[in-house]
Amino acid sequence: MTKTAAIIGAGVIGAGWAARFLLNGWDVRVFDPAPEATRTLEATLARARRTLPMLYDVALPLEGRLTLHDSAGAAVAGADWIQESVGERLELKHAVLREIEEAAAPETPIGSSTSGFTPSQLQQDARHPGRLFVAHPFNPVYLLPLVELVGSAKTDPQTLDSASETLSGLGMHPLPLRGEIDAHVADRLLEAVWRECLWLVKDGIATTEEIDDAIRMGFGLRWAQMGIFETYRLAGGEQGMRHFLAQFGPALKWPWTKLMDVPDLDAALVETIAAQSDAQSGHLSIADLAHRRDDNLVALLRALKARDQAAGRVLAAHEERLRPAPVAATPMQTQRRTVPVDWTDYNGHMNEGRYGQVFSDAAETVLAEIGAMGDYVARGFSYFTVETDIRYLAETLAGEAIFVESRVTQGAGKKLRLFHEMKRARDGALLATCDQLLIHVSLSARRACEPEPEVAQALARLAAAHAEAIA
Amino acid sequence: MTKTAAIIGAGVIGAGWAARFLLNGWDVRVFDPAPEATRTLEATLARARRTLPMLYDVALPLEGRLTLHDSAGAAVAGADWIQESVGERLELKHAVLREIEEAAAPETPIGSSTSGFTPSQLQQDARHPGRLFVAHPFNPVYLLPLVELVGSAKTDPQTLDSASETLSGLGMHPLPLRGEIDAHVADRLLEAVWRECLWLVKDGIATTEEIDDAIRMGFGLRWAQMGIFETYRLAGGEQGMRHFLAQFGPALKWPWTKLMDVPDLDAALVETIAAQSDAQSGHLSIADLAHRRDDNLVALLRALKARDQAAGRVLAAHEERLRPAPVAATPMQTQRRTVPVDWTDYNGHMNEGRYGQVFSDAAETVLAEIGAMGDYVARGFSYFTVETDIRYLAETLAGEAIFVESRVTQGAGKKLRLFHEMKRARDGALLATCDQLLIHVSLSARRACEPEPEVAQALARLAAAHAEAIA
């Protein structure tokens, strides 16, 4: 059954939540009284629709239904999840939460996107504080998996467990914190860096662009996959974390940061930073920057997904949940996906190599259907492709949804031959065909051999069904 | 002429420098009296040899010659660059620099890898302070592009310019700082985060693993491509950086960090961190962790290179410098590269799609040779592949060096037909062949058309030469 999320406050963060829910098949009910809310929501949805489907090698569920409402009370009616993302003023949050509680069922979970307030602060006047917690996401909410999940002593632990499940179901990584603290975890780290950055600019050691380079050319790449502690464990070498701490502990007493003090963000410093930022990025509009950021994130997240590491693990797990069970129809639909930005070349269309990858993935679906993936591979057997003949019939662009239909044209002995047709989802246009010959192999001998009887029989059945349908 | 680098101190950082120079074709002379130095050097070189060549889609230069020496004086003889990476104790640095200056020519540049000391501190007793500067890299030095370049008032500006050129030639991103400051730029940011992290662990808000997740599931991904200022500019929206500063400036006065104070790294806190780190990563050896980190970095850096963004721009620029001019021999060598880790699939070998990519890249080399790339594409013409027939003859593994030999088998009118052979560099074994048909197109009409006369003539000449060589 389709679930419903109520989004109260649809600025950049609220709109990001709306997109995350909607594209994962939830109906979404939005309330935001601000005049620019509709524009933000539309722009964010457009960005999310372009990029979120590119993260996965399978299709997302059918998009839910989006409706706009005139009040928080109207928006939360019948909701299975309520997400509050209004401005960071405690009185405003309290007023909105009061309105939500008047209209919502008492058991409906309410997550707050607050970056600064603790759940205890939010719960001060709550009628049903047990279902109220902090669910703090990161911009862009539709692409970044992290969401900090914080309850107080009053929050019902079961509510947090079930919230965690819901967020995982959206492809996110819920991170339950062990205690309440101002600004939670990630924003504290960001605030520390931010303060140090302000000093570096103020003291003229580096410009905003140079500081950005100091981050993204070096430790930013480490942090995208390991974080700080695992990186330092590695720096400690075989002698481990205790050795590292003994070695670098003394630096805590050295003047390596100015953070005993906070710079005054006066007009002069604001002007310096703003002017440097203009020099660095002023030639790009905010839409350009967001486009660039999103495309970079798609490429980085896909790189990590292929390695099943860090944020890529979250994606890989979500993809497995999204993967449809293969249906033994003729032809079989063996792929349904969106072409990601990292698949195009200088001609502006999908590179020929990526067609090969799509047909390779299509073959894997057939192999899964005949029981020749997973355990079978672990037991030392597989199919290797020995020849492909691909015809490229029409251009395929980044962002286009495609599907592949596959037929077994030969399936006896060591041989498996497939004929794939790749089509554009929008209009069914034929984009490419592939005649693909695979040979059954022993992975220990790395040589051709006969498949095991179950696989041989399943393959024979599939080949017969496909031959019959054609005849 | 082959250049020579002297590496004084070959711990993890010095060994990383040795690898970076060596794999970019420099001869390297190493001195380190520590008993484990040879082992560190060998392990680091093995890691670098496995991964650095994977970053580029062309081959690195022939590796230089590595020699070990008994003293700093012996190591620096005849060096074009001296890199000091001994322990972080000022007296030790001074003693080593004195020994270096006694043996080295007075104009040879000396870079120090120090993370804590300023160039002025290093120069205190220097005979020729003008050629002394800080060149502070980041671990792993052979993969991460960032190197902070810091001079003092005494450092010769020309020395810094020429150092910058040398470092760019190694595929690095030299970041000249505008002033001297303890710990330079990046380590100050790291120190700020580190101190905040220590508080979070001490106060039991999150474990080391949870903090790492808070980084790598969220802002670590933003920082791998944009850094902090550009990210915040985007957060400020159309109203720009001034708006962002006005909105978030007040947070500077809020208790969002404990950094007015420094936690005491006592035995209890050391034990807590070490135990949490063991729970997080104790099942992985340091070699496992380094392997994982390097593979992740290869995948992330390659993702950014394909988009020509952030650190990927540095790689792309280095790759262009490394790209050999095509030689119109028969057959033409159109590819020479190392198979990266992100190209393999569940069978443990290169996925069939990546063969398609290699042959696509091989075709680009032929197109460059006949003048049908770059400007020609910008003018609105290109060749699109319409059919490929690939035979996969032997398995190809990650880390293997391969090359492709290509022949024009048809080159008249709109048609260009190529026959490629992909071979293993080690033994010349034939791995795959590809019969590839391309059609000349107008990029505005997205339809086939005749090539321009210069391209048609160049293609006809190449086709004739290849036909003759076969006959």
PDB file of all heavy atoms in Angstrom, chain B residues 151-171:
ATOM      1  N   GLY B 151      56.621  29.247   1.355  1.00  0.00           N
ATOM      2  CA  GLY B 151      57.924  29.886   1.488  1.00  0.00           C
ATOM      3  C   GLY B 151      57.882  30.931   2.590  1.00  0.00           C
ATOM      4  O   GLY B 151      56.812  31.298   3.065  1.00  0.00           O
ATOM      5  N   SER B 152      59.064  31.404   2.993  1.00  0.00           N
ATOM      6  CA  SER B 152      59.127  32.529   3.923  1.00  0.00           C
ATOM      7  C   SER B 152      59.591  33.743   3.127  1.00  0.00           C
ATOM      8  O   SER B 152      59.810  33.653   1.910  1.00  0.00           O
ATOM      9  CB  SER B 152      60.130  32.235   5.031  1.00  0.00           C
ATOM     10  OG  SER B 152      61.448  32.395   4.518  1.00  0.00           O
ATOM     11  N   ALA B 153      59.775  34.868   3.807  1.00  0.00           N
ATOM     12  CA  ALA B 153      60.294  36.057   3.132  1.00  0.00           C
ATOM     13  C   ALA B 153      61.674  35.774   2.548  1.00  0.00           C
ATOM     14  O   ALA B 153      62.092  36.405   1.576  1.00  0.00           O
ATOM     15  CB  ALA B 153      60.355  37.223   4.119  1.00  0.00           C
ATOM     16  N   LYS B 154      62.391  34.816   3.142  1.00  0.00           N
ATOM     17  CA  LYS B 154      63.746  34.506   2.675  1.00  0.00           C
ATOM     18  C   LYS B 154      63.763  33.563   1.468  1.00  0.00           C
ATOM     19  O   LYS B 154      64.779  33.403   0.808  1.00  0.00           O
ATOM     20  CB  LYS B 154      64.538  33.823   3.797  1.00  0.00           C
ATOM     21  CG  LYS B 154      65.032  34.788   4.858  1.00  0.00           C
ATOM     22  CD  LYS B 154      66.069  34.058   5.723  1.00  0.00           C
ATOM     23  CE  LYS B 154      66.248  34.746   7.064  1.00  0.00           C
ATOM     24  NZ  LYS B 154      66.749  33.819   8.075  1.00  0.00           N
ATOM     25  N   THR B 155      62.652  32.880   1.228  1.00  0.00           N
ATOM     26  CA  THR B 155      62.630  31.917   0.120  1.00  0.00           C
ATOM     27  C   THR B 155      62.586  32.676  -1.207  1.00  0.00           C
ATOM     28  O   THR B 155      61.804  33.617  -1.365  1.00  0.00           O
ATOM     29  CB  THR B 155      61.412  30.984   0.233  1.00  0.00           C
ATOM     30  OG1 THR B 155      61.402  30.394   1.530  1.00  0.00           O
ATOM     31  CG2 THR B 155      61.470  29.895  -0.818  1.00  0.00           C
ATOM     32  N   ASP B 156      63.401  32.254  -2.142  1.00  0.00           N
ATOM     33  CA  ASP B 156      63.464  32.854  -3.479  1.00  0.00           C
ATOM     34  C   ASP B 156      62.145  32.567  -4.228  1.00  0.00           C
ATOM     35  O   ASP B 156      61.788  31.403  -4.426  1.00  0.00           O
ATOM     36  CB  ASP B 156      64.662  32.212  -4.199  1.00  0.00           C
ATOM     37  CG  ASP B 156      64.783  32.683  -5.638  1.00  0.00           C
ATOM     38  OD1 ASP B 156      64.027  33.585  -6.034  1.00  0.00           O
ATOM     39  OD2 ASP B 156      65.649  32.128  -6.342  1.00  0.00           O
ATOM     40  N   PRO B 157      61.420  33.611  -4.643  1.00  0.00           N
ATOM     41  CA  PRO B 157      60.136  33.386  -5.329  1.00  0.00           C
ATOM     42  C   PRO B 157      60.291  32.516  -6.576  1.00  0.00           C
ATOM     43  O   PRO B 157      59.411  31.715  -6.891  1.00  0.00           O
ATOM     44  CB  PRO B 157      59.668  34.797  -5.713  1.00  0.00           C
ATOM     45  CG  PRO B 157      60.420  35.721  -4.815  1.00  0.00           C
ATOM     46  CD  PRO B 157      61.722  35.056  -4.484  1.00  0.00           C
ATOM     47  N   GLN B 158      61.421  32.655  -7.278  1.00  0.00           N
ATOM     48  CA  GLN B 158      61.633  31.828  -8.480  1.00  0.00           C
ATOM     49  C   GLN B 158      61.756  30.355  -8.125  1.00  0.00           C
ATOM     50  O   GLN B 158      61.341  29.485  -8.895  1.00  0.00           O
ATOM     51  CB  GLN B 158      62.886  32.291  -9.205  1.00  0.00           C
ATOM     52  CG  GLN B 158      62.614  33.491 -10.106  1.00  0.00           C
ATOM     53  CD  GLN B 158      63.729  33.681 -11.109  1.00  0.00           C
ATOM     54  OE1 GLN B 158      64.906  33.591 -10.749  1.00  0.00           O
ATOM     55  NE2 GLN B 158      63.371  33.924 -12.361  1.00  0.00           N
ATOM     56  N   THR B 159      62.354  30.080  -6.966  1.00  0.00           N
ATOM     57  CA  THR B 159      62.451  28.693  -6.504  1.00  0.00           C
ATOM     58  C   THR B 159      61.058  28.110  -6.331  1.00  0.00           C
ATOM     59  O   THR B 159      60.786  26.971  -6.720  1.00  0.00           O
ATOM     60  CB  THR B 159      63.214  28.633  -5.168  1.00  0.00           C
ATOM     61  OG1 THR B 159      64.518  29.148  -5.376  1.00  0.00           O
ATOM     62  CG2 THR B 159      63.283  27.204  -4.641  1.00  0.00           C
ATOM     63  N   LEU B 160      60.146  28.908  -5.757  1.00  0.00           N
ATOM     64  CA  LEU B 160      58.774  28.434  -5.538  1.00  0.00           C
ATOM     65  C   LEU B 160      58.054  28.217  -6.869  1.00  0.00           C
ATOM     66  O   LEU B 160      57.343  27.224  -7.038  1.00  0.00           O
ATOM     67  CB  LEU B 160      57.994  29.423  -4.672  1.00  0.00           C
ATOM     68  CG  LEU B 160      58.377  29.441  -3.182  1.00  0.00           C
ATOM     69  CD1 LEU B 160      57.616  30.545  -2.454  1.00  0.00           C
ATOM     70  CD2 LEU B 160      58.095  28.088  -2.531  1.00  0.00           C
ATOM     71  N   ASP B 161      58.243  29.132  -7.819  1.00  0.00           N
ATOM     72  CA  ASP B 161      57.613  28.969  -9.135  1.00  0.00           C
ATOM     73  C   ASP B 161      58.080  27.686  -9.792  1.00  0.00           C
ATOM     74  O   ASP B 161      57.289  26.925 -10.356  1.00  0.00           O
ATOM     75  CB  ASP B 161      57.963  30.151 -10.046  1.00  0.00           C
ATOM     76  CG  ASP B 161      57.205  31.402  -9.644  1.00  0.00           C
ATOM     77  OD1 ASP B 161      56.295  31.298  -8.791  1.00  0.00           O
ATOM     78  OD2 ASP B 161      57.533  32.484 -10.164  1.00  0.00           O
ATOM     79  N   SER B 162      59.382  27.476  -9.729  1.00  0.00           N
ATOM     80  CA  SER B 162      59.913  26.307 -10.418  1.00  0.00           C
ATOM     81  C   SER B 162      59.540  25.030  -9.666  1.00  0.00           C
ATOM     82  O   SER B 162      59.287  23.983 -10.274  1.00  0.00           O
ATOM     83  CB  SER B 162      61.416  26.509 -10.627  1.00  0.00           C
ATOM     84  OG  SER B 162      62.138  25.426 -10.174  1.00  0.00           O
ATOM     85  N   ALA B 163      59.422  25.113  -8.324  1.00  0.00           N
ATOM     86  CA  ALA B 163      58.959  23.953  -7.545  1.00  0.00           C
ATOM     87  C   ALA B 163      57.532  23.601  -7.943  1.00  0.00           C
ATOM     88  O   ALA B 163      57.168  22.431  -8.094  1.00  0.00           O
ATOM     89  CB  ALA B 163      59.032  24.265  -6.052  1.00  0.00           C
ATOM     90  N   SER B 164      56.729  24.639  -8.137  1.00  0.00           N
ATOM     91  CA  SER B 164      55.347  24.444  -8.528  1.00  0.00           C
ATOM     92  C   SER B 164      55.264  23.689  -9.858  1.00  0.00           C
ATOM     93  O   SER B 164      54.464  22.763 -10.024  1.00  0.00           O
ATOM     94  CB  SER B 164      54.705  25.829  -8.659  1.00  0.00           C
ATOM     95  OG  SER B 164      53.337  25.764  -8.454  1.00  0.00           O
ATOM     96  N   GLU B 165      56.126  24.075 -10.783  1.00  0.00           N
ATOM     97  CA  GLU B 165      56.164  23.404 -12.085  1.00  0.00           C
ATOM     98  C   GLU B 165      56.570  21.937 -11.952  1.00  0.00           C
ATOM     99  O   GLU B 165      55.979  21.057 -12.584  1.00  0.00           O
ATOM    100  CB  GLU B 165      57.194  24.097 -12.973  1.00  0.00           C
ATOM    101  CG  GLU B 165      56.615  24.655 -14.244  1.00  0.00           C
ATOM    102  CD  GLU B 165      57.663  25.497 -14.956  1.00  0.00           C
ATOM    103  OE1 GLU B 165      58.573  24.912 -15.572  1.00  0.00           O
ATOM    104  OE2 GLU B 165      57.568  26.746 -14.843  1.00  0.00           O
ATOM    105  N   THR B 166      57.594  21.704 -11.132  1.00  0.00           N
ATOM    106  CA  THR B 166      58.044  20.327 -10.920  1.00  0.00           C
ATOM    107  C   THR B 166      56.921  19.466 -10.352  1.00  0.00           C
ATOM    108  O   THR B 166      56.666  18.348 -10.816  1.00  0.00           O
ATOM    109  CB  THR B 166      59.245  20.298  -9.956  1.00  0.00           C
ATOM    110  OG1 THR B 166      60.314  21.035 -10.552  1.00  0.00           O
ATOM    111  CG2 THR B 166      59.690  18.873  -9.663  1.00  0.00           C
ATOM    112  N   LEU B 167      56.208  20.001  -9.348  1.00  0.00           N
ATOM    113  CA  LEU B 167      55.147  19.231  -8.693  1.00  0.00           C
ATOM    114  C   LEU B 167      53.994  18.971  -9.658  1.00  0.00           C
ATOM    115  O   LEU B 167      53.431  17.867  -9.673  1.00  0.00           O
ATOM    116  CB  LEU B 167      54.667  19.966  -7.437  1.00  0.00           C
ATOM    117  CG  LEU B 167      55.737  20.080  -6.330  1.00  0.00           C
ATOM    118  CD1 LEU B 167      55.329  21.102  -5.277  1.00  0.00           C
ATOM    119  CD2 LEU B 167      55.998  18.719  -5.687  1.00  0.00           C
ATOM    120  N   SER B 168      53.649  19.950 -10.479  1.00  0.00           N
ATOM    121  CA  SER B 168      52.613  19.725 -11.495  1.00  0.00           C
ATOM    122  C   SER B 168      53.041  18.611 -12.445  1.00  0.00           C
ATOM    123  O   SER B 168      52.232  17.790 -12.868  1.00  0.00           O
ATOM    124  CB  SER B 168      52.353  20.996 -12.306  1.00  0.00           C
ATOM    125  OG  SER B 168      51.812  21.997 -11.493  1.00  0.00           O
ATOM    126  N   GLY B 169      54.327  18.577 -12.753  1.00  0.00           N
ATOM    127  CA  GLY B 169      54.861  17.540 -13.636  1.00  0.00           C
ATOM    128  C   GLY B 169      54.747  16.142 -13.039  1.00  0.00           C
ATOM    129  O   GLY B 169      54.832  15.150 -13.761  1.00  0.00           O
ATOM    130  N   LEU B 170      54.565  16.083 -11.720  1.00  0.00           N
ATOM    131  CA  LEU B 170      54.369  14.786 -11.053  1.00  0.00           C
ATOM    132  C   LEU B 170      52.886  14.451 -10.928  1.00  0.00           C
ATOM    133  O   LEU B 170      52.506  13.493 -10.265  1.00  0.00           O
ATOM    134  CB  LEU B 170      54.981  14.817  -9.648  1.00  0.00           C
ATOM    135  CG  LEU B 170      56.483  15.083  -9.543  1.00  0.00           C
ATOM    136  CD1 LEU B 170      56.880  15.241  -8.073  1.00  0.00           C
ATOM    137  CD2 LEU B 170      57.270  13.940 -10.185  1.00  0.00           C
ATOM    138  N   GLY B 171      52.036  15.294 -11.539  1.00  0.00           N
ATOM    139  CA  GLY B 171      50.591  15.059 -11.462  1.00  0.00           C
ATOM    140  C   GLY B 171      49.988  15.574 -10.172  1.00  0.00           C
ATOM    141  O   GLY B 171      48.870  15.190  -9.825  1.00  0.00           O
TER     142      GLY B 171
END
